[in-house]
Amino acid sequence: MRLLNIKLFVFAGILTFLFQISSSSLYAQRTIDQLNANLQAMYKSYKLPGFSIAIVNKGKVIYENGYGYADIKARKPFTPTTIQNIGSISKTFVAVALMKAIEHGYFTLETNINDILPFKVSNPYFPNDSIKIKHLVTHTSGIVDRNEIYYKSYIWDTKNISILKELLPSSIYSIMSTGADVDTTLKDFMYSYLNSDGKFFTKENFYDSRPGERSEYSNIASALAAYLIECKSGKSFSEYSELFILTPLKMFKSGWFLKSIDLSQHTKLYAENMEVFPLYQLVTYPDGGLRTSVDDLSKYVIEMIKGFNGKSDILSQKFYVEMFTPQLFVTTPPKNINLNKRNKGIFWNLYPTGYIGHDGDDPGISTCLRFNPKTKTGYVFLTNIMATNEVLSGEIKSIEKVLEDFCDSIRSQN
């Protein structure tokens, strides 16, 4: 009798376990179906040409989908494998590559950049103050993105540059075209802009503030951090990041240049009036030039979460911890940043909600990547239009809110 009771007890336990699994699966399917319905409704009522999303949880992609069109005229769907440039999310790849370079022993965050560069860079207002790598990665270096030069670093894939006149504000169009005097290598651009003998150099390339004193977003400083890796590794940044990030993560549809990706899978890039931008590349490509898909980016998000939890294949855990540790201190904050809303890791944004991530925008694109390494959830969002007005910006933020709310709803299941 006792044996029979034990068997009945075990059987009941198995039934309870299977019921719990079934209930959890049904709940997950219901929430995913609701998410899809919400996103479908948003696409139908919004002005976005197309977008794609991926949701990750516990080391897996639990949902990915595309909505709308990668090419409106050809009615080509926007799918999770659709490729586009991702703007400043690219800087997070600089962060990972930089930590890999530190793991290789090339330098530390405290290293003076002039100990690495083949030419000298100093703030003319404070020539005796050292700019360190930690200043570049927290946007406190004092380096200014002077638009009349920085915008010229966009190289447009068109012979008819005047097409941009209908797509860009006149103030930007007047300078955002590739001129004969624009250096087309990362090294040459950095020298020309930052060295006192460079042809683009002026005191206005720097803020009148000491390194570490002022927070101000700088694409050029971000690209300079990537160039430091080139100086020490002997490889271009694109080669280095491909070797140590893209290839190990099997991000085979991703690349830094148009020649590196399958252009048949690349989306059209739309302006606010739904006219199509020509494709473009960046001289300062590490700051915003990676081309990829949500399918590939989901692998990257999963790896970042794994790395935080000590299970990464590309970087030791202590370097993830350092990369995601707040670098700016409430007791001595730099000017021009509210640390109650956002802190900085190594290029990564750290939010009070526990999320880590980055946004991106450029002509024809808006992007967002977020994850919570403790709950092991996250999402990726790509759309093929830039938020140039309050309506588009509001629509994009609404979608991101739905995705974050979904991630929050499933963390209780973890």
Side-chain angles (χ1 to χ4, degrees), residues 47-49 72 167 269-277 384-385 392:
K47 299 181 183 300
L48 306 179
I72 296 172
L167 305 176
L269 305 178
Y270 291 93
E272 179 185 337
N273 62 2
M274 293 301 168
E275 294 294 325
V276 178
F277 280 105
N384 52 348
I385 191 169
L392 286 172

Side-chain angles (χ1 to χ4, degrees), residues 224-243:
L224 179 62
Y227 176 60
L228 296 177
I229 298 173
E230 291 192 358
C231 294
K232 295 298 291 185
S233 70
K235 297 179 175 62
S236 69
F237 177 75
S238 60
E239 292 171 332
Y240 189 89
S241 58
E242 182 175 345
L243 180 62

Side-chain angles (χ1 to χ4, degrees), residues 336-343:
N336 204 38
I337 188 171
N338 184 347
L339 296 182
N340 293 320
K341 292 185 176 181
R342 182 179 66 186
N343 208 313

Side-chain angles (χ1 to χ4, degrees), residues 77 93 122 174 176 179 181-182 207 273 288 319 327 357 390 401:
F93 287 80
S122 64
S174 64
M176 191 180 262
D181 63 342
V182 173
Y207 291 104
N273 62 2
F319 296 105
Q327 300 295 312
E390 290 185 5
K401 180 67 165 55

Side-chain angles (χ1 to χ4, degrees), residues 268-366:
K268 300 291 186 183
L269 305 178
Y270 291 93
E272 179 185 337
N273 62 2
M274 293 301 168
E275 294 294 325
V276 178
F277 280 105
L279 299 182
Y280 53 88
Q281 301 184 117
L282 308 173
V283 175
T284 61
Y285 68 90
D287 68 42
L290 186 66
R291 298 169 189 280
T292 185
S293 65
V294 297
D295 189 59
D296 264 9
L297 276 178
S298 64
K299 302 171 187 176
Y300 178 64
V301 174
I302 289 170
E303 190 71 17
M304 295 303 100
I305 295 172
K306 285 172 56 181
F308 180 88
N309 291 285
K311 298 179 181 179
S312 174
D313 296 324
I314 63 173
L315 194 63
S316 300
Q317 184 181 22
K318 68 177 183 178
F319 296 105
Y320 281 99
V321 172
E322 186 172 20
M323 185 167 64
F324 298 141
T325 295
Q327 300 295 312
L328 306 178
F329 305 103
V330 176
T331 53
T332 56
K335 300 174 185 176
N336 204 38
I337 188 171
N338 184 347
L339 296 182
N340 293 320
K341 292 185 176 181
R342 182 179 66 186
N343 208 313
K344 297 296 296 186
I346 308 304
F347 284 122
W348 290 93
N349 293 323
L350 312 178
Y351 300 96
T353 57
Y355 281 90
I356 297 171
H358 215 293
D359 301 329
D361 60 73
D362 241 336
I365 65 104
S366 293

